[in-house]
mmCIF file with all atom_site columns, all heavy atoms in Angstrom:
data_model
loop_
_atom_site.group_PDB
_atom_site.id
_atom_site.type_symbol
_atom_site.label_atom_id
_atom_site.label_alt_id
_atom_site.label_comp_id
_atom_site.label_asym_id
_atom_site.label_entity_id
_atom_site.label_seq_id
_atom_site.pdbx_PDB_ins_code
_atom_site.Cartn_x
_atom_site.Cartn_y
_atom_site.Cartn_z
_atom_site.occupancy
_atom_site.B_iso_or_equiv
_atom_site.pdbx_formal_charge
_atom_site.auth_seq_id
_atom_site.auth_comp_id
_atom_site.auth_asym_id
_atom_site.auth_atom_id
_atom_site.pdbx_PDB_model_num
ATOM 1  N N   . ALA A 1 78 ? 62.487 188.363 -56.621 1.00 96.00 ? 569 ALA A N   1
ATOM 2  C CA  . ALA A 1 78 ? 62.887 187.003 -56.969 1.00 96.00 ? 569 ALA A CA  1
ATOM 3  C C   . ALA A 1 78 ? 61.827 186.309 -57.786 1.00 96.00 ? 569 ALA A C   1
ATOM 4  O O   . ALA A 1 78 ? 60.733 186.825 -57.921 1.00 96.00 ? 569 ALA A O   1
ATOM 5  C CB  . ALA A 1 78 ? 63.185 186.208 -55.708 1.00 96.00 ? 569 ALA A CB  1
ATOM 6  N N   . LYS A 1 79 ? 62.134 185.136 -58.237 1.00 97.00 ? 570 LYS A N   1
ATOM 7  C CA  . LYS A 1 79 ? 61.127 184.264 -58.881 1.00 97.00 ? 570 LYS A CA  1
ATOM 8  C C   . LYS A 1 79 ? 60.798 183.131 -57.949 1.00 97.00 ? 570 LYS A C   1
ATOM 9  O O   . LYS A 1 79 ? 61.694 182.583 -57.259 1.00 97.00 ? 570 LYS A O   1
ATOM 10 C CB  . LYS A 1 79 ? 61.767 183.688 -60.186 1.00 97.00 ? 570 LYS A CB  1
ATOM 11 C CG  . LYS A 1 79 ? 60.831 182.726 -60.938 1.00 97.00 ? 570 LYS A CG  1
ATOM 12 C CD  . LYS A 1 79 ? 61.529 182.126 -62.116 1.00 97.00 ? 570 LYS A CD  1
ATOM 13 C CE  . LYS A 1 79 ? 61.713 183.155 -63.195 1.00 97.00 ? 570 LYS A CE  1
ATOM 14 N NZ  . LYS A 1 79 ? 62.204 182.594 -64.508 1.00 97.00 ? 570 LYS A NZ  1
ATOM 15 N N   . VAL A 1 80 ? 59.530 182.780 -57.857 1.00 97.00 ? 571 VAL A N   1
ATOM 16 C CA  . VAL A 1 80 ? 59.082 181.679 -57.031 1.00 97.00 ? 571 VAL A CA  1
ATOM 17 C C   . VAL A 1 80 ? 58.500 180.627 -58.000 1.00 97.00 ? 571 VAL A C   1
ATOM 18 O O   . VAL A 1 80 ? 57.695 180.979 -58.870 1.00 97.00 ? 571 VAL A O   1
ATOM 19 C CB  . VAL A 1 80 ? 57.982 182.078 -56.029 1.00 97.00 ? 571 VAL A CB  1
ATOM 20 C CG1 . VAL A 1 80 ? 57.507 180.890 -55.237 1.00 97.00 ? 571 VAL A CG1 1
ATOM 21 C CG2 . VAL A 1 80 ? 58.558 183.181 -55.066 1.00 97.00 ? 571 VAL A CG2 1
ATOM 22 N N   . THR A 1 81 ? 58.937 179.389 -57.851 1.00 97.00 ? 572 THR A N   1
ATOM 23 C CA  . THR A 1 81 ? 58.471 178.321 -58.691 1.00 97.00 ? 572 THR A CA  1
ATOM 24 C C   . THR A 1 81 ? 57.749 177.235 -57.831 1.00 97.00 ? 572 THR A C   1
ATOM 25 O O   . THR A 1 81 ? 58.094 177.088 -56.660 1.00 97.00 ? 572 THR A O   1
ATOM 26 C CB  . THR A 1 81 ? 59.616 177.682 -59.493 1.00 97.00 ? 572 THR A CB  1
ATOM 27 O OG1 . THR A 1 81 ? 60.513 177.055 -58.572 1.00 97.00 ? 572 THR A OG1 1
ATOM 28 C CG2 . THR A 1 81 ? 60.328 178.678 -60.320 1.00 97.00 ? 572 THR A CG2 1
ATOM 29 N N   . GLY A 1 82 ? 56.879 176.525 -58.463 1.00 97.00 ? 573 GLY A N   1
ATOM 30 C CA  . GLY A 1 82 ? 56.195 175.441 -57.744 1.00 97.00 ? 573 GLY A CA  1
ATOM 31 C C   . GLY A 1 82 ? 55.376 174.591 -58.687 1.00 97.00 ? 573 GLY A C   1
ATOM 32 O O   . GLY A 1 82 ? 55.174 174.966 -59.860 1.00 97.00 ? 573 GLY A O   1
ATOM 33 N N   . LYS A 1 83 ? 54.927 173.446 -58.131 1.00 98.00 ? 574 LYS A N   1
ATOM 34 C CA  . LYS A 1 83 ? 54.145 172.530 -58.952 1.00 98.00 ? 574 LYS A CA  1
ATOM 35 C C   . LYS A 1 83 ? 53.233 171.732 -58.014 1.00 98.00 ? 574 LYS A C   1
ATOM 36 O O   . LYS A 1 83 ? 53.586 170.664 -57.529 1.00 98.00 ? 574 LYS A O   1
ATOM 37 C CB  . LYS A 1 83 ? 55.098 171.574 -59.693 1.00 98.00 ? 574 LYS A CB  1
ATOM 38 C CG  . LYS A 1 83 ? 54.455 170.657 -60.676 1.00 98.00 ? 574 LYS A CG  1
ATOM 39 C CD  . LYS A 1 83 ? 55.477 169.921 -61.536 1.00 98.00 ? 574 LYS A CD  1
ATOM 40 C CE  . LYS A 1 83 ? 56.309 169.040 -60.737 1.00 98.00 ? 574 LYS A CE  1
ATOM 41 N NZ  . LYS A 1 83 ? 57.157 168.155 -61.609 1.00 98.00 ? 574 LYS A NZ  1
ATOM 42 N N   . PRO A 1 84 ? 52.058 172.330 -57.652 1.00 98.00 ? 575 PRO A N   1
ATOM 43 C CA  . PRO A 1 84 ? 51.106 171.578 -56.797 1.00 98.00 ? 575 PRO A CA  1
ATOM 44 C C   . PRO A 1 84 ? 50.793 170.238 -57.410 1.00 98.00 ? 575 PRO A C   1
ATOM 45 O O   . PRO A 1 84 ? 50.626 170.112 -58.627 1.00 98.00 ? 575 PRO A O   1
ATOM 46 C CB  . PRO A 1 84 ? 49.911 172.489 -56.723 1.00 98.00 ? 575 PRO A CB  1
ATOM 47 C CG  . PRO A 1 84 ? 50.362 173.841 -57.147 1.00 98.00 ? 575 PRO A CG  1
ATOM 48 C CD  . PRO A 1 84 ? 51.529 173.621 -58.098 1.00 98.00 ? 575 PRO A CD  1
ATOM 49 N N   . ASP A 1 85 ? 50.625 169.249 -56.590 1.00 98.00 ? 576 ASP A N   1
ATOM 50 C CA  . ASP A 1 85 ? 50.261 167.920 -57.083 1.00 98.00 ? 576 ASP A CA  1
ATOM 51 C C   . ASP A 1 85 ? 48.948 167.923 -57.818 1.00 98.00 ? 576 ASP A C   1
ATOM 52 O O   . ASP A 1 85 ? 48.828 167.388 -58.916 1.00 98.00 ? 576 ASP A O   1
ATOM 53 C CB  . ASP A 1 85 ? 50.217 166.900 -55.938 1.00 98.00 ? 576 ASP A CB  1
ATOM 54 C CG  . ASP A 1 85 ? 51.590 166.584 -55.378 1.00 98.00 ? 576 ASP A CG  1
ATOM 55 O OD1 . ASP A 1 85 ? 52.579 166.682 -56.111 1.00 98.00 ? 576 ASP A OD1 1
ATOM 56 O OD2 . ASP A 1 85 ? 51.678 166.338 -54.160 1.00 98.00 ? 576 ASP A OD2 1
ATOM 57 N N   . LEU A 1 86 ? 47.917 168.500 -57.192 1.00 98.00 ? 577 LEU A N   1
ATOM 58 C CA  . LEU A 1 86 ? 46.597 168.558 -57.800 1.00 98.00 ? 577 LEU A CA  1
ATOM 59 C C   . LEU A 1 86 ? 46.001 169.944 -57.618 1.00 98.00 ? 577 LEU A C   1
ATOM 60 O O   . LEU A 1 86 ? 46.128 170.534 -56.535 1.00 98.00 ? 577 LEU A O   1
ATOM 61 C CB  . LEU A 1 86 ? 45.647 167.529 -57.167 1.00 98.00 ? 577 LEU A CB  1
ATOM 62 C CG  . LEU A 1 86 ? 46.040 166.072 -57.241 1.00 98.00 ? 577 LEU A CG  1
ATOM 63 C CD1 . LEU A 1 86 ? 45.102 165.216 -56.372 1.00 98.00 ? 577 LEU A CD1 1
ATOM 64 C CD2 . LEU A 1 86 ? 46.008 165.601 -58.691 1.00 98.00 ? 577 LEU A CD2 1
ATOM 65 N N   . VAL A 1 87 ? 45.340 170.430 -58.654 1.00 98.00 ? 578 VAL A N   1
ATOM 66 C CA  . VAL A 1 87 ? 44.485 171.615 -58.549 1.00 98.00 ? 578 VAL A CA  1
ATOM 67 C C   . VAL A 1 87 ? 43.119 171.213 -59.091 1.00 98.00 ? 578 VAL A C   1
ATOM 68 O O   . VAL A 1 87 ? 43.031 170.761 -60.236 1.00 98.00 ? 578 VAL A O   1
ATOM 69 C CB  . VAL A 1 87 ? 45.054 172.815 -59.307 1.00 98.00 ? 578 VAL A CB  1
ATOM 70 C CG1 . VAL A 1 87 ? 44.124 174.017 -59.217 1.00 98.00 ? 578 VAL A CG1 1
ATOM 71 C CG2 . VAL A 1 87 ? 46.442 173.198 -58.772 1.00 98.00 ? 578 VAL A CG2 1
ATOM 72 N N   . ALA A 1 88 ? 42.103 171.349 -58.258 1.00 98.00 ? 579 ALA A N   1
ATOM 73 C CA  . ALA A 1 88 ? 40.763 170.873 -58.586 1.00 98.00 ? 579 ALA A CA  1
ATOM 74 C C   . ALA A 1 88 ? 39.815 172.053 -58.708 1.00 98.00 ? 579 ALA A C   1
ATOM 75 O O   . ALA A 1 88 ? 39.817 172.929 -57.807 1.00 98.00 ? 579 ALA A O   1
ATOM 76 C CB  . ALA A 1 88 ? 40.286 169.887 -57.537 1.00 98.00 ? 579 ALA A CB  1
ATOM 77 N N   . PHE A 1 89 ? 39.042 172.050 -59.763 1.00 98.00 ? 580 PHE A N   1
ATOM 78 C CA  . PHE A 1 89 ? 38.100 173.146 -60.043 1.00 98.00 ? 580 PHE A CA  1
ATOM 79 C C   . PHE A 1 89 ? 36.689 172.657 -59.985 1.00 98.00 ? 580 PHE A C   1
ATOM 80 O O   . PHE A 1 89 ? 36.366 171.619 -60.554 1.00 98.00 ? 580 PHE A O   1
ATOM 81 C CB  . PHE A 1 89 ? 38.350 173.693 -61.482 1.00 98.00 ? 580 PHE A CB  1
ATOM 82 C CG  . PHE A 1 89 ? 39.764 174.247 -61.691 1.00 98.00 ? 580 PHE A CG  1
ATOM 83 C CD1 . PHE A 1 89 ? 40.784 173.363 -62.060 1.00 98.00 ? 580 PHE A CD1 1
ATOM 84 C CD2 . PHE A 1 89 ? 40.018 175.574 -61.575 1.00 98.00 ? 580 PHE A CD2 1
ATOM 85 C CE1 . PHE A 1 89 ? 42.076 173.878 -62.299 1.00 98.00 ? 580 PHE A CE1 1
ATOM 86 C CE2 . PHE A 1 89 ? 41.293 176.082 -61.789 1.00 98.00 ? 580 PHE A CE2 1
ATOM 87 C CZ  . PHE A 1 89 ? 42.325 175.209 -62.134 1.00 98.00 ? 580 PHE A CZ  1
#
Side-chain angles (χ1 to χ4, degrees):
K570 179 184 288 188
V571 177
T572 64
K574 186 171 64 170
D576 291 329
L577 299 172
V578 177
F580 300 84

